[in-house]
Amino acid sequence: MRRRKIDGCPIAGALQLIGDKWTMLVVRDLFAGPKRTTELLDDLHPISSRTLMGRLREMEQDALILRNNYGGLPRRVEYELTERGRRLVPLLDALMKVGQVLECNECQDRKDSAGYYCDFCPEQRPAMQFIEEPEIIEPRPEPAPRRKDDSIVLL
């Protein structure tokens, strides 16, 4: 998996890992289980196949998804979330709650436009049983203040 090198901050690294809106939507659609490329293309309309394939490759490199090639003719490939990819589910849940509070969309909007709710929709799944409480991270101790240096350097 790739290391993120913006400024060393975990938030910046996570945002680089997420990349764009398509990553979280792929996670949303793989939440319920493995899917084939054509299923993802249908669920993520209007994404282009080129954009989807590029995003899936990056997510595989980042160990967020697993690509299962079953071979055969026509070729059968499925994608599924890894344990690392499932760690993004609480973020999905938070995004859903923010979208509801800000009244961005209603679940019914998706049902009306696509004909079905997404697999992550609260209309489709029982109460938050799959969301793990985030681990509380202890704050780092304050660094010791720098000692004032009153010396003068002459050049």
Side-chain angles (χ1 to χ4, degrees), residues 96-115:
M96 181 185 64
K97 287 177 183 173
V98 169
Q100 289 171 331
V101 168
L102 296 177
E103 299 176 355
C104 296
N105 290 328
E106 298 288 328
C107 292
Q108 191 61 42
D109 296 341
R110 161 98 182 196
K111 176 113 164 107
D112 293 344
S113 66

Side-chain angles (χ1 to χ4, degrees), residues 79-144:
Y79 294 91
E80 65 180 302
L81 287 177
T82 61
E83 189 57 40
R84 187 170 195 240
R86 287 197 164 281
R87 291 181 182 160
L88 294 173
V89 170
L91 180 56
L92 268 183
D93 189 55
L95 288 170
M96 181 185 64
K97 287 177 183 173
V98 169
Q100 289 171 331
V101 168
L102 296 177
E103 299 176 355
C104 296
N105 290 328
E106 298 288 328
C107 292
Q108 191 61 42
D109 296 341
R110 161 98 182 196
K111 176 113 164 107
D112 293 344
S113 66
Y116 55 92
Y117 296 111
C118 73
D119 292 330
F120 198 79
C121 180
E123 304 288 330
Q124 294 289 101
R125 60 187 165 87
M128 309 299 177
Q129 64 195 23
F130 59 89
I131 302 291
E132 295 177 13
E133 286 297 316
E135 180 182 328
I136 297 174
I137 300 171
E138 295 294 322
R140 294 183 186 186
E142 291 280 329

Side-chain angles (χ1 to χ4, degrees), residues 23-66:
T23 300
M24 292 308 292
L25 292 175
V26 168
V27 171
R28 177 199 69 187
D29 288 347
L30 292 178
F31 166 74
K35 288 193 177 181
R36 297 175 77 166
T37 310
T38 53
E39 294 172 308
L40 289 170
L41 274 170
D42 289 344
D43 289 346
L44 295 172
H45 180 76
I47 192 172
S48 71
S49 58
R50 172 182 256 164
T51 301
L52 176 61
M53 295 312 295
R55 203 74 205 103
L56 290 172
R57 267 192 295 280
E58 288 178 16
M59 291 176 73
E60 188 179 9
Q61 285 177 332
D62 290 331
L64 297 175
I65 62 172
L66 183 62

